[in-house]
Amino acid sequence: MKENNKIRVEKISFLEKGKMEEAKKIRIEVFVKEQNVDFEADWDEKQSENYLVYYNDMVVGTMRWREVGRAVKIERVSVKKDFREKGIASVMIKKAIEDIRQKTNKHIILHSQLLAISLYERFGFRKQGKLFYEQNIAHYTMKKD
């Protein structure tokens, strides 16, 4: 996959309050407003590694990952509606996998909405178990060894 040089992924810290607010704004726009996810269910402030993604220097996406027992879980992958289908989520996922692998060889898991399954399959994730619903949205658990 060729990385688009208009896209830049930046790892951010909880201590960078302004950048965390940017991540929160994107998650509210994508999950709360667009998908009707409850704000408290989305914004849990669990300790995690967080990212912002820029397209032509505009903040357009965010995601996080965190260790959960014997695995690492990628969560809250979100890209503003007008910037989808530009390879932004792919660049984010690639960066997260690289960073995770520098830290651990644990399995990587995530909960994928149905429309995103093919994205994650391109990175070696495979569906696990049965279809389930989170916040009234259909998901599959996906795993990468």
Side-chain angles (χ1 to χ4, degrees), residues 59-91:
V59 178
V60 299
T62 189
M63 65 166 292
R64 74 179 190 187
W65 60 267
R66 61 191 177 93
E67 294 192 52
V68 290
R70 296 182 182 190
V72 173
K73 187 176 183 191
I74 293 176
E75 302 174 307
R76 310 309 198 259
V77 178
S78 50
V79 176
K80 290 181 176 183
K81 194 172 196 171
D82 291 345
F83 295 91
R84 294 180 192 153
E85 305 298 324
K86 297 183 184 302
I88 293 167
S90 292
V91 173

Side-chain angles (χ1 to χ4, degrees), residues 99-112:
D99 289 354
I100 291 166
R101 288 297 173 236
Q102 286 179 1
K103 185 172 183 176
T104 183
N105 284 323
K106 291 181 178 182
H107 301 295
I108 303 172
I109 61 171
L110 53 84
H111 293 169
S112 176

Side-chain angles (χ1 to χ4, degrees), residues 14-129:
F14 270 108
L15 302 176
E16 296 176 278
K17 296 298 182 194
K19 291 183 178 182
M20 287 303 295
E21 281 300 315
E22 289 291 328
K24 183 186 276 188
K25 286 178 191 175
I26 291 168
R27 286 169 46 180
I28 288 170
E29 182 177 327
V30 172
F31 296 122
V32 177
K33 292 180 180 175
E34 187 180 326
Q35 298 182 351
N36 297 313
V37 170
D38 180 62
F39 175 78
E40 285 78 25
D42 175 61
W43 197 259
D44 57 26
E45 299 191 29
K46 291 180 180 174
Q47 187 62 40
S48 57
E49 301 292 332
N50 292 272
Y51 297 82
L52 286 177
V53 64
Y54 298 82
Y55 184 80
N56 290 336
D57 295 324
M58 293 186 318
V59 178
V60 299
T62 189
M63 65 166 292
R64 74 179 190 187
W65 60 267
R66 61 191 177 93
E67 294 192 52
V68 290
R70 296 182 182 190
V72 173
K73 187 176 183 191
I74 293 176
E75 302 174 307
R76 310 309 198 259
V77 178
S78 50
V79 176
K80 290 181 176 183
K81 194 172 196 171
D82 291 345
F83 295 91
R84 294 180 192 153
E85 305 298 324
K86 297 183 184 302
I88 293 167
S90 292
V91 173
M92 277 196 293
I93 296 300
K94 179 181 176 188
K95 173 68 171 151
I97 291 170
E98 289 170 359
D99 289 354
I100 291 166
R101 288 297 173 236
Q102 286 179 1
K103 185 172 183 176
T104 183
N105 284 323
K106 291 181 178 182
H107 301 295
I108 303 172
I109 61 171
L110 53 84
H111 293 169
S112 176
Q113 294 182 14
L114 299 183
L115 292 174
I117 288 172
S118 64
L119 164 71
Y120 300 121
E121 286 177 335
R122 289 194 300 268
F123 289 96
F125 287 89
R126 297 291 169 247
K127 289 192 296 187
Q128 304 285 303

